[in-house]
Amino acid sequence: MTADDTVAGVVRQWYAVRPDLDTAPMEIIGRVNRCAALLQQAEDAPLRRAGLTRPEFDVLGTLRRTGHELTPGELARETFSSGAAVTKRLKSLTERGLVERRPDTRDRRVALVRLTGAGRDLVDGLLPEQLSYEAAVLAGVAGDAREELAARLSELLVQLEGRLGRP
């Protein structure tokens, strides 16, 4: 049995006007989309206090977790972003002294991006706080249910990436 959430209300409304439709997909996709929207609205308080957006933190985190320089194209693939979006983020992060770009010695047309010391320190200091914040957001979901949810979402993601492709 599911809770009476916003999506349940939408499904009931659709059933009232179109009882011939199978709204089961809406019960999953609608909830995933609604959860994503609410999480985005929360704006990640620790990141906001640090003056970062989630996409900017994703760029910094990608550079930190991979441990080496990346091209803007590689950053776009790793963060599921467009090249233009990464370029904009890199400009902002470079101006703030968190990343630096340098030309590739083998191909001067290619830029390599790396964290500065300040960028690394920011990620290392902020990640534990951000993870604690995210744990608090999920606090209403019990441990076993959280593991089950993560497993089911992983199954869905693997299926979608296989069928629809990775961005």
Side-chain angles (χ1 to χ4, degrees):
M1 182 174 151
T2 60
D4 193 22
D5 58 27
T6 306
V7 173
V10 169
V11 168
R12 280 193 304 275
Q13 289 171 335
W14 276 116
Y15 183 76
V17 296
R18 291 293 308 270
D20 58 308
L21 293 178
D22 177 10
T23 56
M26 189 181 295
E27 294 190 42
I28 296 171
I29 293 172
R31 285 186 175 100
V32 168
N33 286 339
R34 180 77 175 135
C35 286
L38 288 169
L39 290 169
Q40 286 174 347
Q41 284 177 10
E43 291 186 9
D44 303 314
L47 300 182
R48 189 174 59 247
R49 281 194 301 274
L52 291 172
T53 64
R54 168 62 78 162
E56 288 171 335
F57 187 70
D58 287 346
V59 168
L60 296 173
T62 298
L63 289 166
R64 180 67 175 111
R65 69 182 163 77
T66 60
H68 56 83
E69 297 174 318
L70 295 171
T71 67
E74 290 168 333
L75 281 166
R77 282 189 297 282
E78 286 286 329
T79 61
F80 310 109
S81 303
S82 71
V86 167
T87 298
K88 181 180 175 185
R89 291 172 197 142
L90 289 175
K91 182 179 186 299
S92 172
L93 294 169
T94 300
E95 289 170 356
R96 292 159 58 190
L98 300 173
V99 300
E100 53 191 19
R101 300 170 75 143
R102 69 171 185 84
D104 187 334
T105 55
R106 292 166 293 166
D107 185 348
R108 306 286 266 171
R109 297 169 298 173
V110 175
L112 294 173
V113 181
R114 67 177 166 213
L115 283 176
T116 62
R120 181 183 174 135
D121 291 346
L122 179 63
V123 172
D124 286 351
L126 194 53
L127 184 58
E129 186 180 350
Q130 181 63 25
L131 290 172
S132 178
Y133 170 79
E134 291 175 4
V137 167
L138 297 172
V141 181
D144 290 348
R146 196 179 303 183
E147 289 176 20
E148 178 72 15
L149 178 59
R152 297 295 162 248
L153 288 172
S154 178
E155 288 175 18
L156 176 61
L157 183 58
V158 166
Q159 180 203 48
L160 292 174
E161 286 179 342
R163 207 162 19 109
L164 302 177
R166 294 176 186 245

